[in-house]
Amino acid sequence: MKLNHHFEEISESYLFAEVSRRVQSYRKSHPDHEVISLGIGDVTRPLCTAATQALVKASQEQGTQEGFHGYGPEQGYPFLREAVQSYYGTMGVQVEAEDIFISDGAKSDLGNFLDLFDRENTVLIPDPVYPVYRDTNQMAGRPIRYLNAVRENGFLPMPEEGMEGDIIYLCSPNNPAGVVYTREQLQKWVDFALEHEAIIFFDAAYEGFIRDSSLPRSIFTIPGAEKCAVEFCSFSKLAGFTGLRCGYTVVPHTLVREGMSLRKMWLRRQTTKFNGVPYPVQRAAAAVLTPEGLAQCRESIEVYRQNAALISQTLKECGVWHTGGAHSPYIWLECPGKMDSWEFFDTLLEKADVVGTPGSGFGKNGEGYFRLTGFGTPENTQKAMERFRKVFG
Ligand code: MLT
């Protein structure tokens, strides 16, 4: 019997599990302190009315003979796939409903989609970036080349002369730096992928935060992407489904490599290993995508964007360099006083009782940086920023 020894090569715990472990231990030793978390990107606003009404109705249906639903289609109910298809339509993107796969969230699909690829493929992963991309490939022992995301390139790496790779991860709006690729930049990545027969894994989980209509919310708004990209998206950030769990992945039928259709392969993988998302959750997700549901979700997103604006304003007043926050819930800042990321994490926790996410957890280029999120409540964000000003102002 042999175990997967690649687990010995990855950090002992997942970034957000490690942050949570440290915060729990701090809370235990400081029981009278009011700790505010601006760390993990978890939402704080309740679900919108359209979603809760649909959830209640669908749950009640489940208790009736005529409305009961057992196993659903592995790819998701047609009513939700068609709702996602119409949502893409509002961006001017034509996606076939059969290319849409409903899942329990982008994180699972980003990891699971690797089942379709040989372990020898080389992956290109921005550094810093959402740690799931790195950890899942390290678990499989796949060779990784990091794309330097640094201040000089606005934390948005671009294809370079001599670059080689089979799988390319792009996240826009970006986690952790909160910055967004322009159409021209994404076009360059699409052209690169087409030329190298590579596949782009495009993580669009934060697309709902984009307010500038000239910025792309989907890779499929870029010509040629339907031949080289898969898009992972989620209701977590758009509609606060972090606790409900629902997302979708678009695998265009036009995506073919070595004579094999990736859409067909993913369908085969999902029908074998996945039994679908609960019926009431899918009904709630479909309600989110109605005009009424989207308007309600936008109200919540506006609250988060205002939190992010407040964080940005506070950092400006304190003379702290930062980016992000305009089309993203995340603010990416340089640790004051040249502290390293974990040092600043401890300082902020001990001096202000505020939790953030150390930049080094997202990759080596994240060292010396730190991420704060606008997903807190306005009251807590305000309190946290008052404390921040007192300590670092
Ligand atoms: C984050 O904080 O980066 C996200 O919440 C993680 C996630 O969505 O899985």
Side-chain angles (χ1 to χ4, degrees), residues 14-16 38-43 106-108 110 129-132 175-176 203 205-206 234 236-237 242 245 330 357 362 371 373 375:
Y14 180 57
L15 173 62
F16 295 103
L38 302 181
I40 188 162
D42 196 4
V43 294
K107 183 185 188 177
S108 331
L110 279 158
V129 89
Y130 185 35
V132 169
N175 182 6
D203 183 350
Y206 299 92
S234 164
S236 286
K237 321 292 167 163
T242 53
R245 307 309 308 152
Y330 297 132
T357 311
F362 297 98
R371 195 192 77 178
T373 160
F375 279 128

